[in-house]
């Protein structure tokens, strides 16, 4: 698997003053991280997101290693790419189109739609640097790691809460 792990050394990079300067990742991260398995069907993933009211999660492979990250956007993008842009004339009926989509969706796994580009920070990374990563990479969550293991997660909503509190 061609996975990329992007890390930020909190001792590097200059910054401008921010209300986030005095806080670090460990102070706001969610330490109870819900993970999903790379071999889950996409349909089970969608149910998991809905039940837990989350929009993304780290993906763990069969050996318990961090394999990537998956989001609700990945689920929707997969549906749009396969169904929305497919010309209706490829199907003889609306039922055939629906059946083709259902058959394909039951065979898709999390590994098929997840991103292997994982952005992580340390527990001591200043929040202004966490925010910079999220903005630059256009992502909504950053994993907090220690010794290559996920110990927390910070979402864009977590960051917004810091600004308004």
């Amino acid at each position: 698997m061609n996975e990329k792990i992007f890390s930020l050394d909190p001792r590097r990079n200059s910054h401008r003053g921010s209300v986030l300067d005095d806080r670090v990742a460990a102070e706001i991260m969610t330490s109870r991280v819900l993970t999903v398995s790379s071999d889950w069907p996409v349909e089970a993933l969608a149910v998991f997101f809905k039940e837990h009211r989350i929009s993304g999660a780290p993906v763990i492979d069969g050996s318990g290693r961090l394999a990537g990250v998956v989001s609700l956007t990945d689920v929707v993008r997969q549906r749009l790419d396969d169904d929305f842009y497919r010309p209706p004339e490829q199907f003889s009926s609306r039922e055939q189109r629906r059946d083709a989509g259902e058959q394909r969706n039951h065979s898709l796994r999390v590994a098929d739609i997840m991103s292997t580009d994982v952005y992580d920070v340390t527990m001591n990374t200043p929040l202004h640097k966490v925010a910079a990563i999220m903005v630059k990479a256009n992502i909504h969550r950053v994993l907090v790691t220690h010794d290559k293991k996920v110990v927390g997660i910070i979402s864009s909503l977590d960051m917004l809460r810091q600004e308004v509190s």
Side-chain angles (χ1 to χ4, degrees), residues 18-29 121 123-134 154 158-159 162-163:
S18 166
V19 295
L20 300 176
D21 283 347
D22 299 330
R23 314 237 10 233
V24 295
E27 294 178 58
I28 72 160
M29 71 182 194
V121 297
M123 293 192 311
N124 295 322
T125 302
L127 291 184
H128 70 271
K129 291 188 178 184
V130 173
I133 290 170
M134 294 174 112
I154 299 174
D158 295 328
M159 296 297 288
Q162 299 310 302
E163 286 293 317

PDB file of all heavy atoms in Angstrom, residues 18-29 121 123-134 154 158-159 162-163:
ATOM      1  N   SER A  18      -1.618  34.250  17.578  1.00  0.00           N
ATOM      2  CA  SER A  18      -2.949  33.673  17.475  1.00  0.00           C
ATOM      3  C   SER A  18      -3.474  33.364  18.866  1.00  0.00           C
ATOM      4  O   SER A  18      -2.699  33.125  19.792  1.00  0.00           O
ATOM      5  CB  SER A  18      -2.883  32.384  16.657  1.00  0.00           C
ATOM      6  OG  SER A  18      -4.064  31.643  16.790  1.00  0.00           O
ATOM      7  N   VAL A  19      -4.790  33.326  18.996  1.00  0.00           N
ATOM      8  CA  VAL A  19      -5.377  32.937  20.278  1.00  0.00           C
ATOM      9  C   VAL A  19      -5.118  31.459  20.554  1.00  0.00           C
ATOM     10  O   VAL A  19      -5.313  30.991  21.666  1.00  0.00           O
ATOM     11  CB  VAL A  19      -6.892  33.231  20.336  1.00  0.00           C
ATOM     12  CG1 VAL A  19      -7.147  34.723  20.262  1.00  0.00           C
ATOM     13  CG2 VAL A  19      -7.631  32.489  19.253  1.00  0.00           C
ATOM     14  N   LEU A  20      -4.664  30.728  19.555  1.00  0.00           N
ATOM     15  CA  LEU A  20      -4.372  29.304  19.727  1.00  0.00           C
ATOM     16  C   LEU A  20      -2.941  29.052  20.201  1.00  0.00           C
ATOM     17  O   LEU A  20      -2.577  27.922  20.491  1.00  0.00           O
ATOM     18  CB  LEU A  20      -4.613  28.563  18.402  1.00  0.00           C
ATOM     19  CG  LEU A  20      -6.019  28.638  17.827  1.00  0.00           C
ATOM     20  CD1 LEU A  20      -6.069  27.946  16.470  1.00  0.00           C
ATOM     21  CD2 LEU A  20      -7.034  28.044  18.775  1.00  0.00           C
ATOM     22  N   ASP A  21      -2.126  30.110  20.277  1.00  0.00           N
ATOM     23  CA  ASP A  21      -0.707  29.955  20.589  1.00  0.00           C
ATOM     24  C   ASP A  21      -0.415  29.261  21.918  1.00  0.00           C
ATOM     25  O   ASP A  21       0.556  28.539  22.032  1.00  0.00           O
ATOM     26  CB  ASP A  21       0.004  31.320  20.614  1.00  0.00           C
ATOM     27  CG  ASP A  21       0.275  31.836  19.219  1.00  0.00           C
ATOM     28  OD1 ASP A  21       0.150  31.048  18.263  1.00  0.00           O
ATOM     29  OD2 ASP A  21       0.609  33.024  19.099  1.00  0.00           O
ATOM     30  N   ASP A  22      -1.235  29.490  22.903  1.00  0.00           N
ATOM     31  CA  ASP A  22      -0.932  28.993  24.239  1.00  0.00           C
ATOM     32  C   ASP A  22      -1.428  27.583  24.507  1.00  0.00           C
ATOM     33  O   ASP A  22      -1.248  27.072  25.597  1.00  0.00           O
ATOM     34  CB  ASP A  22      -1.540  29.928  25.294  1.00  0.00           C
ATOM     35  CG  ASP A  22      -0.972  31.329  25.202  1.00  0.00           C
ATOM     36  OD1 ASP A  22       0.193  31.460  24.784  1.00  0.00           O
ATOM     37  OD2 ASP A  22      -1.692  32.282  25.531  1.00  0.00           O
ATOM     38  N   ARG A  23      -2.037  26.944  23.539  1.00  0.00           N
ATOM     39  CA  ARG A  23      -2.606  25.615  23.740  1.00  0.00           C
ATOM     40  C   ARG A  23      -1.935  24.615  22.820  1.00  0.00           C
ATOM     41  O   ARG A  23      -1.431  24.961  21.764  1.00  0.00           O
ATOM     42  CB  ARG A  23      -4.115  25.645  23.461  1.00  0.00           C
ATOM     43  CG  ARG A  23      -4.774  26.825  24.132  1.00  0.00           C
ATOM     44  CD  ARG A  23      -5.888  26.665  25.089  1.00  0.00           C
ATOM     45  NE  ARG A  23      -6.284  25.413  25.607  1.00  0.00           N
ATOM     46  CZ  ARG A  23      -7.520  24.965  25.559  1.00  0.00           C
ATOM     47  NH1 ARG A  23      -8.469  25.659  24.973  1.00  0.00           N
ATOM     48  NH2 ARG A  23      -7.840  23.827  26.110  1.00  0.00           N
ATOM     49  N   VAL A  24      -1.973  23.346  23.226  1.00  0.00           N
ATOM     50  CA  VAL A  24      -1.381  22.277  22.422  1.00  0.00           C
ATOM     51  C   VAL A  24      -2.433  21.212  22.134  1.00  0.00           C
ATOM     52  O   VAL A  24      -3.490  21.169  22.765  1.00  0.00           O
ATOM     53  CB  VAL A  24      -0.146  21.652  23.113  1.00  0.00           C
ATOM     54  CG1 VAL A  24       0.976  22.671  23.243  1.00  0.00           C
ATOM     55  CG2 VAL A  24      -0.514  21.040  24.451  1.00  0.00           C
ATOM     56  N   ALA A  25      -2.120  20.354  21.203  1.00  0.00           N
ATOM     57  CA  ALA A  25      -3.052  19.324  20.736  1.00  0.00           C
ATOM     58  C   ALA A  25      -3.639  18.488  21.871  1.00  0.00           C
ATOM     59  O   ALA A  25      -4.840  18.205  21.880  1.00  0.00           O
ATOM     60  CB  ALA A  25      -2.364  18.429  19.710  1.00  0.00           C
ATOM     61  N   ALA A  26      -2.819  18.095  22.819  1.00  0.00           N
ATOM     62  CA  ALA A  26      -3.286  17.228  23.905  1.00  0.00           C
ATOM     63  C   ALA A  26      -4.417  17.854  24.713  1.00  0.00           C
ATOM     64  O   ALA A  26      -5.241  17.143  25.284  1.00  0.00           O
ATOM     65  CB  ALA A  26      -2.131  16.870  24.832  1.00  0.00           C
ATOM     66  N   GLU A  27      -4.482  19.182  24.730  1.00  0.00           N
ATOM     67  CA  GLU A  27      -5.495  19.872  25.528  1.00  0.00           C
ATOM     68  C   GLU A  27      -6.899  19.798  24.940  1.00  0.00           C
ATOM     69  O   GLU A  27      -7.882  19.917  25.675  1.00  0.00           O
ATOM     70  CB  GLU A  27      -5.102  21.337  25.720  1.00  0.00           C
ATOM     71  CG  GLU A  27      -3.850  21.518  26.550  1.00  0.00           C
ATOM     72  CD  GLU A  27      -3.477  22.983  26.669  1.00  0.00           C
ATOM     73  OE1 GLU A  27      -4.318  23.775  27.160  1.00  0.00           O
ATOM     74  OE2 GLU A  27      -2.358  23.331  26.255  1.00  0.00           O
ATOM     75  N   ILE A  28      -7.004  19.621  23.630  1.00  0.00           N
ATOM     76  CA  ILE A  28      -8.345  19.630  23.034  1.00  0.00           C
ATOM     77  C   ILE A  28      -8.694  18.353  22.286  1.00  0.00           C
ATOM     78  O   ILE A  28      -9.823  18.187  21.854  1.00  0.00           O
ATOM     79  CB  ILE A  28      -8.544  20.836  22.094  1.00  0.00           C
ATOM     80  CG1 ILE A  28      -7.742  20.678  20.805  1.00  0.00           C
ATOM     81  CG2 ILE A  28      -8.224  22.143  22.800  1.00  0.00           C
ATOM     82  CD1 ILE A  28      -8.259  21.546  19.683  1.00  0.00           C
ATOM     83  N   MET A  29      -7.734  17.459  22.133  1.00  0.00           N
ATOM     84  CA  MET A  29      -7.997  16.247  21.345  1.00  0.00           C
ATOM     85  C   MET A  29      -9.050  15.372  22.023  1.00  0.00           C
ATOM     86  O   MET A  29      -9.206  15.399  23.236  1.00  0.00           O
ATOM     87  CB  MET A  29      -6.723  15.445  21.147  1.00  0.00           C
ATOM     88  CG  MET A  29      -6.216  14.770  22.399  1.00  0.00           C
ATOM     89  SD  MET A  29      -4.687  13.890  22.090  1.00  0.00           S
ATOM     90  CE  MET A  29      -4.585  12.896  23.584  1.00  0.00           C
ATOM     91  N   VAL A 121      -0.118  14.779  14.144  1.00  0.00           N
ATOM     92  CA  VAL A 121       0.656  15.703  14.950  1.00  0.00           C
ATOM     93  C   VAL A 121       0.985  15.004  16.262  1.00  0.00           C
ATOM     94  O   VAL A 121       0.402  13.969  16.579  1.00  0.00           O
ATOM     95  CB  VAL A 121      -0.116  17.020  15.230  1.00  0.00           C
ATOM     96  CG1 VAL A 121      -0.406  17.775  13.936  1.00  0.00           C
ATOM     97  CG2 VAL A 121      -1.397  16.764  16.004  1.00  0.00           C
ATOM     98  N   MET A 123       1.267  15.213  20.581  1.00  0.00           N
ATOM     99  CA  MET A 123       0.438  15.787  21.631  1.00  0.00           C
ATOM    100  C   MET A 123       0.895  17.194  22.000  1.00  0.00           C
ATOM    101  O   MET A 123       0.111  17.987  22.508  1.00  0.00           O
ATOM    102  CB  MET A 123       0.439  14.875  22.867  1.00  0.00           C
ATOM    103  CG  MET A 123      -0.246  13.553  22.591  1.00  0.00           C
ATOM    104  SD  MET A 123      -0.611  12.530  24.033  1.00  0.00           S
ATOM    105  CE  MET A 123       0.901  12.508  24.929  1.00  0.00           C
ATOM    106  N   ASN A 124       2.155  17.523  21.731  1.00  0.00           N
ATOM    107  CA  ASN A 124       2.701  18.839  22.088  1.00  0.00           C
ATOM    108  C   ASN A 124       2.664  19.848  20.951  1.00  0.00           C
ATOM    109  O   ASN A 124       3.180  20.953  21.093  1.00  0.00           O
ATOM    110  CB  ASN A 124       4.148  18.686  22.577  1.00  0.00           C
ATOM    111  CG  ASN A 124       4.201  17.896  23.861  1.00  0.00           C
ATOM    112  OD1 ASN A 124       3.348  18.039  24.723  1.00  0.00           O
ATOM    113  ND2 ASN A 124       5.190  17.031  23.981  1.00  0.00           N
ATOM    114  N   THR A 125       2.057  19.499  19.843  1.00  0.00           N
ATOM    115  CA  THR A 125       1.970  20.434  18.717  1.00  0.00           C
ATOM    116  C   THR A 125       1.045  21.589  19.079  1.00  0.00           C
ATOM    117  O   THR A 125      -0.091  21.373  19.490  1.00  0.00           O
ATOM    118  CB  THR A 125       1.435  19.721  17.457  1.00  0.00           C
ATOM    119  OG1 THR A 125       2.286  18.630  17.139  1.00  0.00           O
ATOM    120  CG2 THR A 125       1.367  20.683  16.277  1.00  0.00           C
ATOM    121  N   PRO A 126       1.534  22.838  18.929  1.00  0.00           N
ATOM    122  CA  PRO A 126       0.668  23.998  19.203  1.00  0.00           C
ATOM    123  C   PRO A 126      -0.557  24.003  18.279  1.00  0.00           C
ATOM    124  O   PRO A 126      -0.472  23.608  17.115  1.00  0.00           O
ATOM    125  CB  PRO A 126       1.570  25.198  18.898  1.00  0.00           C
ATOM    126  CG  PRO A 126       2.966  24.674  19.013  1.00  0.00           C
ATOM    127  CD  PRO A 126       2.890  23.238  18.556  1.00  0.00           C
ATOM    128  N   LEU A 127      -1.664  24.468  18.810  1.00  0.00           N
ATOM    129  CA  LEU A 127      -2.903  24.454  18.042  1.00  0.00           C
ATOM    130  C   LEU A 127      -2.842  25.323  16.795  1.00  0.00           C
ATOM    131  O   LEU A 127      -3.474  24.998  15.791  1.00  0.00           O
ATOM    132  CB  LEU A 127      -4.081  24.873  18.917  1.00  0.00           C
ATOM    133  CG  LEU A 127      -4.474  23.879  20.004  1.00  0.00           C
ATOM    134  CD1 LEU A 127      -5.711  24.369  20.741  1.00  0.00           C
ATOM    135  CD2 LEU A 127      -4.707  22.490  19.428  1.00  0.00           C
ATOM    136  N   HIS A 128      -2.068  26.397  16.819  1.00  0.00           N
ATOM    137  CA  HIS A 128      -1.985  27.209  15.600  1.00  0.00           C
ATOM    138  C   HIS A 128      -1.329  26.414  14.475  1.00  0.00           C
ATOM    139  O   HIS A 128      -1.659  26.595  13.307  1.00  0.00           O
ATOM    140  CB  HIS A 128      -1.243  28.538  15.850  1.00  0.00           C
ATOM    141  CG  HIS A 128       0.214  28.395  16.084  1.00  0.00           C
ATOM    142  ND1 HIS A 128       0.749  28.206  17.342  1.00  0.00           N
ATOM    143  CD2 HIS A 128       1.252  28.393  15.216  1.00  0.00           C
ATOM    144  CE1 HIS A 128       2.058  28.103  17.236  1.00  0.00           C
ATOM    145  NE2 HIS A 128       2.395  28.209  15.967  1.00  0.00           N
ATOM    146  N   LYS A 129      -0.457  25.471  14.811  1.00  0.00           N
ATOM    147  CA  LYS A 129       0.154  24.632  13.775  1.00  0.00           C
ATOM    148  C   LYS A 129      -0.818  23.543  13.315  1.00  0.00           C
ATOM    149  O   LYS A 129      -0.826  23.176  12.148  1.00  0.00           O
ATOM    150  CB  LYS A 129       1.462  24.038  14.279  1.00  0.00           C
ATOM    151  CG  LYS A 129       2.518  25.126  14.446  1.00  0.00           C
ATOM    152  CD  LYS A 129       3.871  24.582  14.754  1.00  0.00           C
ATOM    153  CE  LYS A 129       4.847  25.747  14.853  1.00  0.00           C
ATOM    154  NZ  LYS A 129       6.207  25.292  15.062  1.00  0.00           N
ATOM    155  N   VAL A 130      -1.632  23.042  14.226  1.00  0.00           N
ATOM    156  CA  VAL A 130      -2.678  22.087  13.846  1.00  0.00           C
ATOM    157  C   VAL A 130      -3.626  22.767  12.851  1.00  0.00           C
ATOM    158  O   VAL A 130      -3.969  22.201  11.810  1.00  0.00           O
ATOM    159  CB  VAL A 130      -3.453  21.567  15.074  1.00  0.00           C
ATOM    160  CG1 VAL A 130      -4.635  20.709  14.652  1.00  0.00           C
ATOM    161  CG2 VAL A 130      -2.530  20.800  16.021  1.00  0.00           C
ATOM    162  N   ALA A 131      -4.019  24.004  13.165  1.00  0.00           N
ATOM    163  CA  ALA A 131      -4.914  24.755  12.278  1.00  0.00           C
ATOM    164  C   ALA A 131      -4.267  24.969  10.919  1.00  0.00           C
ATOM    165  O   ALA A 131      -4.922  24.826   9.878  1.00  0.00           O
ATOM    166  CB  ALA A 131      -5.275  26.100  12.912  1.00  0.00           C
ATOM    167  N   ALA A 132      -2.972  25.284  10.900  1.00  0.00           N
ATOM    168  CA  ALA A 132      -2.268  25.514   9.634  1.00  0.00           C
ATOM    169  C   ALA A 132      -2.264  24.254   8.768  1.00  0.00           C
ATOM    170  O   ALA A 132      -2.454  24.329   7.550  1.00  0.00           O
ATOM    171  CB  ALA A 132      -0.838  25.978   9.903  1.00  0.00           C
ATOM    172  N   ILE A 133      -2.071  23.101   9.378  1.00  0.00           N
ATOM    173  CA  ILE A 133      -2.101  21.834   8.639  1.00  0.00           C
ATOM    174  C   ILE A 133      -3.480  21.625   8.022  1.00  0.00           C
ATOM    175  O   ILE A 133      -3.612  21.283   6.847  1.00  0.00           O
ATOM    176  CB  ILE A 133      -1.761  20.648   9.557  1.00  0.00           C
ATOM    177  CG1 ILE A 133      -0.295  20.683   9.967  1.00  0.00           C
ATOM    178  CG2 ILE A 133      -2.085  19.314   8.880  1.00  0.00           C
ATOM    179  CD1 ILE A 133       0.055  19.677  11.056  1.00  0.00           C
ATOM    180  N   MET A 134      -4.517  21.832   8.826  1.00  0.00           N
ATOM    181  CA  MET A 134      -5.881  21.609   8.347  1.00  0.00           C
ATOM    182  C   MET A 134      -6.220  22.524   7.176  1.00  0.00           C
ATOM    183  O   MET A 134      -6.817  22.081   6.195  1.00  0.00           O
ATOM    184  CB  MET A 134      -6.874  21.784   9.496  1.00  0.00           C
ATOM    185  CG  MET A 134      -6.722  20.732  10.573  1.00  0.00           C
ATOM    186  SD  MET A 134      -7.775  21.076  11.995  1.00  0.00           S
ATOM    187  CE  MET A 134      -8.918  19.713  11.835  1.00  0.00           C
ATOM    188  N   ILE A 154      -8.326  15.393  16.413  1.00  0.00           N
ATOM    189  CA  ILE A 154      -8.802  16.777  16.501  1.00  0.00           C
ATOM    190  C   ILE A 154      -9.559  17.073  15.215  1.00  0.00           C
ATOM    191  O   ILE A 154      -9.019  16.904  14.123  1.00  0.00           O
ATOM    192  CB  ILE A 154      -7.641  17.775  16.677  1.00  0.00           C
ATOM    193  CG1 ILE A 154      -6.867  17.488  17.960  1.00  0.00           C
ATOM    194  CG2 ILE A 154      -8.172  19.212  16.667  1.00  0.00           C
ATOM    195  CD1 ILE A 154      -5.616  18.324  18.131  1.00  0.00           C
ATOM    196  N   ASP A 158     -13.586  20.890  16.689  1.00  0.00           N
ATOM    197  CA  ASP A 158     -12.816  21.080  17.922  1.00  0.00           C
ATOM    198  C   ASP A 158     -12.035  22.392  17.867  1.00  0.00           C
ATOM    199  O   ASP A 158     -11.948  23.126  18.858  1.00  0.00           O
ATOM    200  CB  ASP A 158     -11.835  19.926  18.146  1.00  0.00           C
ATOM    201  CG  ASP A 158     -12.512  18.590  18.377  1.00  0.00           C
ATOM    202  OD1 ASP A 158     -13.622  18.564  18.947  1.00  0.00           O
ATOM    203  OD2 ASP A 158     -11.920  17.564  17.983  1.00  0.00           O
ATOM    204  N   MET A 159     -11.449  22.682  16.705  1.00  0.00           N
ATOM    205  CA  MET A 159     -10.677  23.907  16.540  1.00  0.00           C
ATOM    206  C   MET A 159     -11.582  25.137  16.623  1.00  0.00           C
ATOM    207  O   MET A 159     -11.247  26.131  17.272  1.00  0.00           O
ATOM    208  CB  MET A 159      -9.930  23.887  15.207  1.00  0.00           C
ATOM    209  CG  MET A 159      -8.883  22.803  15.113  1.00  0.00           C
ATOM    210  SD  MET A 159      -7.547  22.961  16.317  1.00  0.00           S
ATOM    211  CE  MET A 159      -6.688  24.366  15.646  1.00  0.00           C
ATOM    212  N   GLN A 162     -12.454  26.252  20.104  1.00  0.00           N
ATOM    213  CA  GLN A 162     -11.407  27.012  20.797  1.00  0.00           C
ATOM    214  C   GLN A 162     -11.515  28.504  20.507  1.00  0.00           C
ATOM    215  O   GLN A 162     -11.244  29.334  21.355  1.00  0.00           O
ATOM    216  CB  GLN A 162     -10.018  26.496  20.396  1.00  0.00           C
ATOM    217  CG  GLN A 162      -9.779  25.048  20.742  1.00  0.00           C
ATOM    218  CD  GLN A 162     -10.135  24.736  22.178  1.00  0.00           C
ATOM    219  OE1 GLN A 162      -9.593  25.337  23.116  1.00  0.00           O
ATOM    220  NE2 GLN A 162     -11.059  23.821  22.378  1.00  0.00           N
ATOM    221  N   GLU A 163     -11.890  28.810  19.287  1.00  0.00           N
ATOM    222  CA  GLU A 163     -11.995  30.214  18.880  1.00  0.00           C
ATOM    223  C   GLU A 163     -13.189  30.910  19.513  1.00  0.00           C
ATOM    224  O   GLU A 163     -13.158  32.104  19.743  1.00  0.00           O
ATOM    225  CB  GLU A 163     -12.082  30.317  17.358  1.00  0.00           C
ATOM    226  CG  GLU A 163     -10.774  30.051  16.661  1.00  0.00           C
ATOM    227  CD  GLU A 163      -9.744  31.131  16.953  1.00  0.00           C
ATOM    228  OE1 GLU A 163     -10.081  32.329  16.947  1.00  0.00           O
ATOM    229  OE2 GLU A 163      -8.578  30.758  17.174  1.00  0.00           O
TER     230      GLU A 163
END
